C-alpha cells in the first residue's frame, strides 16, 4: 500500500520547498485538488523539485475544460515529470458547473466518458505525428489536428486517467475505462465491499480489464492519539467534517447503506441554519468508527492496512495536512510504518 499526501498551501511560492520536503520525508505521491486554485500549476513546480514521487490531480474538474485542453496539460506534465503524472478527473456538481463555470450539465456520466475517450483520441493522434484525429460523440466532436498544433513525441506512456466516483454508474465507468478511481474520503469498509467494488468489477468485466492494472485511491480520516495536538482536537475536526458530508445529498448512497438517514436529514436542516460546529455533536461513536481510524502515529499504518486488507485500497493519504515542522515525530513514525512490508 502506497502512502500519499495532498498539497494544501495556496501560495505557489511555497510549492517547490513543500514538494521537496514531502519527497524527502518519504511519501509516495502528491495530490492536488481543484478548490480555490488551479490544480495543475502546483504540480509543475513539484515536478521540477522532485524526482521520485508520483504527481496527480484529485481531482481536476473535467467539464470546466475541453478534452483537447486537458490532453495538452496532461501531456506536458507527463513529459516534465518524466512519466510521474496521474490525471485525476471529476464532474463536480451541477450548480458549480452551470453557475460557477458557465458550462453544460446534461448527462454527466456520458459526458465524462466522452471526455476521457476524446483526450485519448488526441493523444493517439499525437503519437501518429498530429494526424488522424476523428472523435465523434454527443458532447464532443474533434476532427482537426495538424502537425503544427500537435505535441512533440512523448518518451513515456500516456498519463493514466483516474476519476472520482461515489455512485453506481460512475463506479462502473471507472472500472470499464480508467486506470484508477478516487474513492471519496466519506467512505466505509462496508461501502467499499458492498457498493464500490461490485460496481467497479462490473465495469472491468464489461471491457475485459484486470484488477491488477487498476488503482483505488482514497484519503482516510485519521485521529492520532499521541501527537503534539491533543487527540480530542483531531477527533472534533473529524466529527465536524463527517457531519458536513452527511448533510450533503450527494453522499446519501453511503448513508443509506448504514441506515443513518434520520441523522443526515437533521444535519441537512442544521446546515441550512449555519449550525456548523454543533453538527459535529450528532456524529456518534459508531459513525466515527465506520469512517475514521484512531491510534498512535506509529500504529495507524497497521490499522489502515488491516482495515483495507484484500486490496480494498491501493493508495491512501490521511485527511490531514502535512506541514513540515509540525508533528514531525508522528509523521516519521507513520511513514516508517507504511514503508515496512
Amino acid at each position: 500500500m502506497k502512502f500519499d499526501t495532498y498539497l494544501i498551501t495556496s501560495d505557489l511560492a511555497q510549492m517547490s520547498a513543500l514538494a521537496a520536503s514531502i519527497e524527502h520525508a518519504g511519501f509516495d505521491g502528491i495530490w492536488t485538488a481543484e478548490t480555490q486554485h488551479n490544480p495543475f500549476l502546483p504540480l509543475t513546480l513539484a515536478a521540477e523539485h522532485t524526482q521520485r514521487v508520483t504527481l496527480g490531480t484529485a481531482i481536476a474538474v473535467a467539464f470546466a475544460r475541453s478534452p483537447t485542453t486537458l490532453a495538452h496539460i496532461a501531456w506536458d506534465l507527463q513529459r516534465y515529470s518524466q512519466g510521474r503524472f496521474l490525471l485525476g478527473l471529476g464532474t463536480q456538481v451541477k450548480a458549480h458547473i452551470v453557475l460557477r463555470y458557465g458550462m453544460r450539465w446534461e448527462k454527466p456520466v456520458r459526458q465524462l466518458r466522452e471526455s476521457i475517450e476524446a483526450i485519448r483520441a488526441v493523444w493517439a493522434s499525437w503519437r501518429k505525428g498530429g494526424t488522424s484525429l476523428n472523435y465523434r460523440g454527443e458532447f464532443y466532436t474533434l476532427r482537426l489536428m495538424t502537425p503544427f498544433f500537435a505535441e512533440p513525441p512523448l518518451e513515456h506512456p500516456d498519463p493514466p486517467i483516474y476519476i472520482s466516483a461515489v455512485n453506481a454508474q460512475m463506479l462502473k465507468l471507472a472500472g470499464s475505462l480508467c486506470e484508477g478511481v478516487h474513492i471519496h474520503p466519506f467512505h466505509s469498509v462496508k461501502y467499499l465491499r458492498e457498493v464500490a467494488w461490485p460496481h467497479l468489477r462490473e465495469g472491468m468485466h464489461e471491457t475485459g480489464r484486470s484488477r491488477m492494472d487498476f488503482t483505488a485511491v482514497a484519503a482516510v480520516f485519521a485521529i492520532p492519539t499521541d501527537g503534539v495536538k491533543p487527540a480530542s482536537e483531531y477527533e472534533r475536526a473529524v466529527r465536524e467534517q463527517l457531519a458536513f458530508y452527511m448533510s450533503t445529498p450527494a453522499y446519501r448512497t453511503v448513508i443509506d447503506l448504514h441506515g443513518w438517514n434520520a441523522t443526515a436529514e437533521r444535519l441537512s436542516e442544521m446546515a441550512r441554519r449555519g449550525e456548523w460546529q454543533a453538527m459535529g455533536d450528532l456524529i456518534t461513536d459508531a459513525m466515527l468508527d465506520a469512517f475514521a481510524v484512531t491510534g498512535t502515529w506509529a500504529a495507524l499504518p497497521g490499522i489502515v492496512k488491516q482495515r483495507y486488507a484484500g486490496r480494498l485500497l491501493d493508495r491512501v493519504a490521511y485527511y490531514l495536512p502535512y506541514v513540515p515542522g509540525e508533528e514531525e515525530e508522528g509523521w516519521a513514525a507513520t511513514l516508517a510504518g507504511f514503508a515496512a512490508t
Side-chain angles (χ1 to χ4, degrees):
M1 178 179 283
K2 294 186 180 299
F3 186 54
D4 306 327
T5 191
Y6 290 81
L7 286 177
I8 49 88
T9 179
S10 61
D11 186 354
L12 284 176
Q14 299 177 10
M15 291 299 176
S16 300
L18 178 56
S21 295
I22 288 170
E23 181 168 81
H24 180 73
F27 289 93
D28 294 303
I30 296 173
W31 299 99
T32 57
E34 184 151 26
T35 51
Q36 296 174 325
H37 300 275
N38 183 290
F40 296 106
L41 291 175
L43 296 181
T44 304
L45 294 169
E48 183 177 12
H49 294 275
T50 59
Q51 290 79 44
R52 175 187 56 80
V53 292
T54 56
L55 308 167
T57 52
I59 52 75
V61 178
F63 301 163
R65 302 170 177 87
S66 77
T68 304
T69 298
L70 287 166
H72 277 288
I73 294 170
W75 197 264
D76 287 339
L77 277 168
Q78 181 76 325
R79 185 193 314 280
Y80 195 52
S81 67
Q82 299 184 338
R84 293 182 287 137
F85 179 65
L86 304 169
L87 177 60
L89 300 174
T91 62
Q92 245 297 342
V93 296
K94 182 177 181 178
H96 283 267
I97 296 301
V98 175
L99 301 177
R100 185 158 67 95
Y101 289 108
M103 307 295 276
R104 295 171 61 187
W105 179 281
E106 295 178 13
K107 304 172 185 176
V109 177
R110 176 65 191 173
Q111 187 176 353
L112 187 57
R113 172 181 285 278
E114 286 192 13
S115 183
I116 295 166
E117 292 172 344
I119 290 167
R120 289 176 173 157
V122 172
W123 290 341
S125 77
W126 293 343
R127 294 283 184 188
K128 298 176 182 177
T131 60
S132 305
L133 177 60
N134 186 20
Y135 181 81
R136 300 169 187 260
E138 179 180 353
F139 293 92
Y140 304 107
T141 298
L142 307 180
R143 297 177 56 196
L144 177 63
M145 183 62 65
T146 67
F148 181 79
F149 291 102
E151 291 265 8
L154 188 65
E155 296 179 357
H156 308 283
D158 292 352
I161 297 179
Y162 296 12
I163 62 170
S164 60
V166 175
N167 298 318
Q169 292 303 309
M170 205 65 76
L171 289 162
K172 286 175 61 178
L173 177 63
S176 66
L177 194 63
C178 303
E179 285 80 21
V181 65
H182 286 288
I183 299 293
H184 197 276
F186 185 64
H187 69 264
S188 65
V189 170
K190 182 179 178 67
Y191 164 80
L192 290 174
R193 287 179 175 158
E194 299 183 18
V195 177
W197 274 109
H199 292 306
L200 288 167
R201 289 194 178 95
E202 183 179 353
M204 291 178 191
H205 179 74
E206 288 177 355
T207 53
R209 306 179 73 234
S210 169
R211 170 68 175 97
M212 298 302 296
D213 302 319
F214 189 85
T215 302
V217 186
V220 177
F221 290 105
I223 303 172
T225 58
D226 64 339
V228 175
K229 183 191 295 187
S232 59
E233 292 187 27
Y234 284 112
E235 180 180 321
R236 186 64 196 177
V238 170
R239 288 183 188 271
E240 291 179 4
Q241 191 63 48
L242 291 176
F244 167 74
Y245 286 132
M246 287 187 69
S247 74
T248 306
Y251 308 116
R252 289 296 163 85
T253 297
V254 184
I255 296 164
D256 291 346
L257 184 67
H258 288 273
W260 291 324
N261 307 72
T263 300
E265 291 297 333
R266 287 185 61 192
L267 288 167
S268 294
E269 294 171 2
M270 294 175 72
R272 286 191 287 270
R273 295 193 297 267
E275 300 172 359
W276 301 108
Q277 290 187 329
M279 288 166 61
D281 295 335
L282 270 65
I283 301 301
T284 66
D285 290 345
M287 294 172 184
L288 193 69
D289 290 342
F291 297 114
V293 292
T294 302
T296 65
W297 282 97
L300 283 171
I303 296 170
V304 170
K305 291 177 183 179
Q306 183 177 9
R307 187 184 187 94
Y308 299 107
R311 290 195 68 188
L312 289 177
L313 293 176
D314 303 295
R315 307 185 73 118
V316 300
Y318 292 163
Y319 198 96
L320 291 172
Y322 171 75
V323 180
E326 296 184 9
E327 298 282 11
E328 286 188 326
E329 291 184 5
W331 283 111
T334 269
L335 285 158
F338 277 104
T341 56

Short mmCIF file of all heavy atoms in Angstrom, two decimals, residues 62 99 101 110 218 241-242 253 270 280 301 330 332:
data_model
loop_
_atom_site.label_atom_id
_atom_site.label_comp_id
_atom_site.label_asym_id
_atom_site.label_seq_id
_atom_site.Cartn_x
_atom_site.Cartn_y
_atom_site.Cartn_z
N ALA A 62 -13.37 18.14 -14.93
CA ALA A 62 -13.32 17.82 -16.35
C ALA A 62 -14.17 18.77 -17.18
O ALA A 62 -13.75 19.24 -18.25
CB ALA A 62 -13.77 16.38 -16.57
N LEU A 99 -23.31 27.37 -12.86
CA LEU A 99 -23.33 28.73 -12.32
C LEU A 99 -21.95 29.29 -12.02
O LEU A 99 -21.77 30.51 -12.00
CB LEU A 99 -24.19 28.76 -11.05
CG LEU A 99 -25.66 28.35 -11.24
CD1 LEU A 99 -26.38 28.35 -9.91
CD2 LEU A 99 -26.36 29.24 -12.25
N TYR A 101 -18.86 27.79 -13.48
CA TYR A 101 -18.03 27.65 -14.67
C TYR A 101 -18.74 28.07 -15.96
O TYR A 101 -18.10 28.26 -16.99
CB TYR A 101 -17.54 26.20 -14.83
CG TYR A 101 -16.51 25.81 -13.80
CD1 TYR A 101 -16.83 24.93 -12.77
CD2 TYR A 101 -15.21 26.30 -13.85
CE1 TYR A 101 -15.89 24.56 -11.82
CE2 TYR A 101 -14.26 25.93 -12.93
CZ TYR A 101 -14.60 25.05 -11.91
OH TYR A 101 -13.67 24.68 -10.97
N ARG A 110 -22.20 10.16 -19.17
CA ARG A 110 -21.91 10.08 -20.60
C ARG A 110 -20.88 11.12 -21.01
O ARG A 110 -19.96 10.84 -21.78
CB ARG A 110 -23.21 10.28 -21.40
CG ARG A 110 -23.01 10.32 -22.92
CD ARG A 110 -22.51 8.98 -23.44
NE ARG A 110 -22.07 9.07 -24.83
CZ ARG A 110 -21.48 8.08 -25.47
NH1 ARG A 110 -21.27 6.93 -24.86
NH2 ARG A 110 -21.11 8.23 -26.72
N ALA A 218 -7.75 6.72 -1.92
CA ALA A 218 -8.66 7.45 -1.04
C ALA A 218 -7.91 8.14 0.08
O ALA A 218 -6.86 7.65 0.53
CB ALA A 218 -9.72 6.52 -0.44
N GLN A 241 -16.25 17.37 10.10
CA GLN A 241 -16.15 17.11 8.66
C GLN A 241 -17.13 16.01 8.23
O GLN A 241 -17.77 16.11 7.19
CB GLN A 241 -14.72 16.72 8.29
CG GLN A 241 -14.46 16.69 6.79
CD GLN A 241 -14.62 18.06 6.15
OE1 GLN A 241 -14.09 19.06 6.64
NE2 GLN A 241 -15.38 18.13 5.06
N LEU A 242 -17.23 14.97 9.03
CA LEU A 242 -18.20 13.91 8.74
C LEU A 242 -19.63 14.46 8.74
O LEU A 242 -20.45 14.08 7.89
CB LEU A 242 -18.08 12.78 9.76
CG LEU A 242 -16.82 11.93 9.71
CD1 LEU A 242 -16.81 10.93 10.85
CD2 LEU A 242 -16.70 11.20 8.37
N THR A 253 -25.81 7.72 -0.83
CA THR A 253 -25.58 6.29 -1.09
C THR A 253 -24.89 5.64 0.10
O THR A 253 -25.26 4.54 0.52
CB THR A 253 -24.71 6.10 -2.35
OG1 THR A 253 -25.43 6.60 -3.49
CG2 THR A 253 -24.40 4.63 -2.58
N MET A 270 -29.69 21.53 9.94
CA MET A 270 -28.75 22.36 10.69
C MET A 270 -27.82 23.12 9.76
O MET A 270 -27.46 24.28 10.01
CB MET A 270 -27.94 21.48 11.66
CG MET A 270 -28.78 20.85 12.76
SD MET A 270 -27.85 19.69 13.79
CE MET A 270 -26.81 20.84 14.74
N GLY A 280 -21.35 18.59 14.53
CA GLY A 280 -20.44 17.51 14.91
C GLY A 280 -20.93 16.70 16.10
O GLY A 280 -20.56 15.53 16.25
N PRO A 301 -0.54 3.08 10.57
CA PRO A 301 -0.33 2.32 9.32
C PRO A 301 -0.83 0.89 9.39
O PRO A 301 -1.47 0.40 8.45
CB PRO A 301 1.19 2.38 9.13
CG PRO A 301 1.60 3.62 9.83
CD PRO A 301 0.71 3.71 11.02
N GLY A 330 5.55 12.25 14.73
CA GLY A 330 4.38 11.47 14.36
C GLY A 330 4.40 11.08 12.89
O GLY A 330 4.20 9.91 12.54
N ALA A 332 6.96 10.91 10.94
CA ALA A 332 8.08 9.99 10.71
C ALA A 332 7.68 8.57 11.12
O ALA A 332 8.01 7.60 10.42
CB ALA A 332 9.30 10.44 11.49
#
